[in-house]
Amino acid sequence: MIPVVGYAGRTVGVLGLGRSGLSTARALAAGGAVPVCWDDSDEGRARAETEGYAVRDLTRDGAWDDVALLVTSPGIPHLYPAPHPAILGALRAGVPVDNDIGLFFRSVATQEWEQMDVAPRVVAVTGSNGKSTTSALIHHILSEGGRAAQLAGNIGRGVLDIDPPVDGGVVVLELSSYQTDLARALTPDIAVFTNLTPDHLDRHGGMGGYFAAKRRLFAEGGPDRAVVGVDEVEGLYLAGQMAEGRADDRVISVSVTRKIKGPGWSVFARKGLLAEWRKGRQVADVDLRDMPGLPGAHNHQNACAAYAVARAMGLAPKAIAAALQSFAGLPHRSQLVAEIGGVRFVNDSKATNVDAAAQALAAFPRIRWIAGGLGKEGGIAALQGALGSVAKAYLIGHSARDFALQMPGIPVEICETMDVAVARAAAEAEPGDVVLLAPAAASFDQYPNFEKRGEDFVACVARLG
């Protein structure tokens, strides 16, 4: 646990009592603060009371008279489309609002660090797609390289739940836009921006607000080194703002769409071949094409970003390449579930938007595509140019019929449920085909989250025998 510093003897409100909220309450108490907790659900409040924390309705008048700070969970709106009543009350009362990420950055460094030979470092990863895989890949490379690494944030453990970093240790954080948008402290040693595609726009008031939330990690965080995906204009803009000139190697540019050979530091992949360039010359290369845990260009971008971080931390290219080869991938993200009769079954349930689905569709030559769920604004119209490898689509969930209307020229079958879709796709698949779950939709019509949807796909495949 990372005890929260700066609030000993003071009352701190905790809003939202899921995983991060209860973790925050514990870390506050460990640092001597007095948490008062609130959740809109009876279940959440009961969990806090079971652990011995005081429960106070933070939406009522007078709730803030003795409160020094409000810490809110990332899923609770603090600005758009409208702030939660408790957050609005705190703002009106002049009470600062923070989250567990901000508390982590304020509390993780201790006096013990001064006695260490090598001070711990924090790597923070943000972006629209690939954050989880990139974060896990960085953690894997560092661990394989003998570094004491911990993975936390939007993946793995809550940031305040981790162990205090040891001498030379590294904390790898995956940070969503909800987390970077509100954190009052953001001070990573290395910050990573993977890419930017439209998502969560209701929470950020549009694309500009969404990018601004990501940009805070760099503009306010002041990292020693920035690894920036430059395949979108926002990434180019961010890299330009962080660098003092073309040869400034504090910025490492990453691409999977073009070669970058200028005087600075770059890592790019073309047709599965990763190249590292520095000071106008190539210094290393890695063949990504046969790495089972990293299929497709989108995973090659993740590999480039993770490679860049590892190189910035002093690891040798050969050691990084060996770790990339041994990376098994993450559940629900281009996860190879099984191969039956020459047909591969791949679980990419995390592909909840059209951009992530397009990347998954581009990774394989002939696809039996399982898609659908609770569709997002615009449906899958933007996928028209990405369906060339789809032999047939098997549609499930609330948006199945709407999706079918947006795929002219593609054979379609309305299956409604996962078990029917898997069975039908498996029955019609031929050797060399890939049965791919890449829903391009949220899961909440049939499942509580994308993980449960992916687990159902895995279970249905297992029943094929």
Side-chain angles (χ1 to χ4, degrees):
M1 179 185 295
I2 306 294
V4 174
V5 301
Y7 293 93
R10 305 171 76 186
T11 300
V12 177
V14 179
L15 178 63
L17 299 172
R19 184 189 70 162
S20 67
L22 285 175
S23 171
T24 297
R26 298 183 195 111
L28 284 163
V34 181
V36 293
C37 303
W38 182 251
D39 193 284
D40 291 336
S41 72
D42 293 337
E43 294 81 2
R45 298 193 295 271
R47 285 193 294 268
E49 289 176 330
T50 298
E51 294 200 24
Y53 299 118
V55 171
R56 178 190 300 182
D57 186 348
L58 297 176
T59 66
R60 292 184 178 179
D61 292 340
W64 302 103
D65 292 346
D66 62 339
V67 176
L69 175 75
L70 173 64
V71 184
T72 183
S73 295
I76 299 174
H78 57 270
L79 186 57
Y80 300 114
H84 185 279
I87 296 176
L88 187 60
L91 294 173
R92 285 174 171 165
V95 174
V97 181
D98 206 346
N99 60 19
D100 60 338
I101 303 302
L103 295 182
F104 167 84
F105 278 111
R106 293 175 61 178
S107 305
V108 66
T110 63
Q111 291 182 347
E112 285 76 12
W113 285 27
E114 297 177 4
Q115 310 303 319
M116 296 179 181
D117 292 332
V118 179
R121 303 177 79 182
V122 178
V123 178
V125 181
T126 196
S128 295
N129 298 311
K131 296 187 300 296
S132 296
T133 298
T134 299
S135 301
L137 193 50
I138 293 168
H139 176 262
H140 176 75
I141 294 169
L142 294 174
S143 298
E144 290 293 296
R147 305 290 179 92
Q150 299 184 77
L151 183 62
N154 210 40
I155 186 175
R157 302 163 69 185
V159 292
L160 296 173
D161 272 338
I162 67 170
D163 300 324
V166 299
D167 194 327
V170 184
V171 179
V172 183
L173 302 180
E174 179 197 341
L175 300 182
S176 72
S177 57
Y178 297 172
Q179 294 168 313
T180 59
D181 195 21
L182 190 61
R184 294 173 68 88
L186 288 167
T187 54
D189 297 284
I190 300 176
V192 180
F193 176 86
T194 59
N195 50 59
L196 196 79
T197 57
D199 208 1
H200 310 304
L201 300 189
D202 59 329
R203 277 289 300 270
H204 298 292
M207 196 67 177
Y210 179 47
F211 176 53
K214 303 288 189 184
R215 180 179 173 274
R216 288 190 76 242
L217 182 64
F218 299 82
E220 300 192 24
D224 295 332
R225 183 155 272 127
V227 176
V228 182
V230 296
D231 287 338
E232 292 88 29
V233 66
E234 292 88 354
L236 281 171
Y237 174 79
L238 179 59
Q241 284 206 314
M242 297 299 294
E244 292 295 331
R246 295 183 67 211
D248 187 350
D249 67 0
R250 293 175 302 170
V251 177
I252 306 176
S253 297
V254 167
S255 176
V256 289
T257 63
R258 63 189 177 93
K259 297 178 180 179
I260 310 173
K261 296 183 178 181
W265 196 350
S266 64
V267 180
F268 57 86
R270 297 284 290 163
K271 298 181 180 179
L273 298 175
L274 179 153
E276 177 188 2
W277 280 67
R278 196 168 186 182
K279 298 180 179 178
R281 65 185 185 89
Q282 184 171 330
V283 296
D285 61 85
V286 178
D287 190 341
L288 303 173
R289 290 174 294 184
D290 295 325
M291 295 188 176
L294 297 167
H298 61 303
N299 275 310
H300 295 168
Q301 183 187 55
N302 301 333
C304 286
Y307 176 97
V309 170
R311 289 289 284 142
M313 299 192 74
L315 275 69
K318 287 186 177 180
I320 301 172
L324 292 172
Q325 182 67 46
S326 65
F327 181 66
L330 288 177
H332 318 300
R333 299 163 178 86
S334 299
Q335 177 193 12
L336 178 60
V337 172
E339 183 167 342
I340 303 172
V343 177
R344 288 177 289 168
F345 293 80
V346 175
N347 167 24
D348 204 337
S349 183
K350 185 61 170 65
T352 59
N353 58 50
V354 295
D355 295 284
Q359 292 171 348
L361 291 168
F364 307 102
R366 181 175 165 85
I367 296 170
R368 303 280 172 175
W369 181 31
I370 299 176
L374 191 61
K376 299 186 177 181
E377 185 176 354
I380 57 168
L383 280 175
Q384 287 299 317
L387 302 180
S389 60
V390 176
K392 184 174 178 179
Y394 306 80
L395 303 178
I396 64 173
H398 178 269
S399 299
R401 285 166 176 78
D402 290 337
F403 280 18
L405 295 174
Q406 293 178 306
M407 288 189 283
I410 302 295
V412 168
E413 184 171 337
I414 305 295
C415 297
E416 302 286 1
T417 60
M418 185 71 72
D419 57 340
V420 174
V422 171
R424 292 293 302 139
E428 297 183 348
E430 302 172 358
D433 286 358
V434 171
V435 175
L436 172 67
L437 171 65
S443 59
F444 305 125
D445 56 335
Q446 295 179 315
Y447 304 93
N449 50 52
F450 74 85
E451 292 95 340
K452 292 298 183 183
R453 176 170 60 191
E455 290 168 8
D456 191 20
F457 174 78
V458 173
C460 291
V461 172
R463 288 196 292 270
L464 295 174

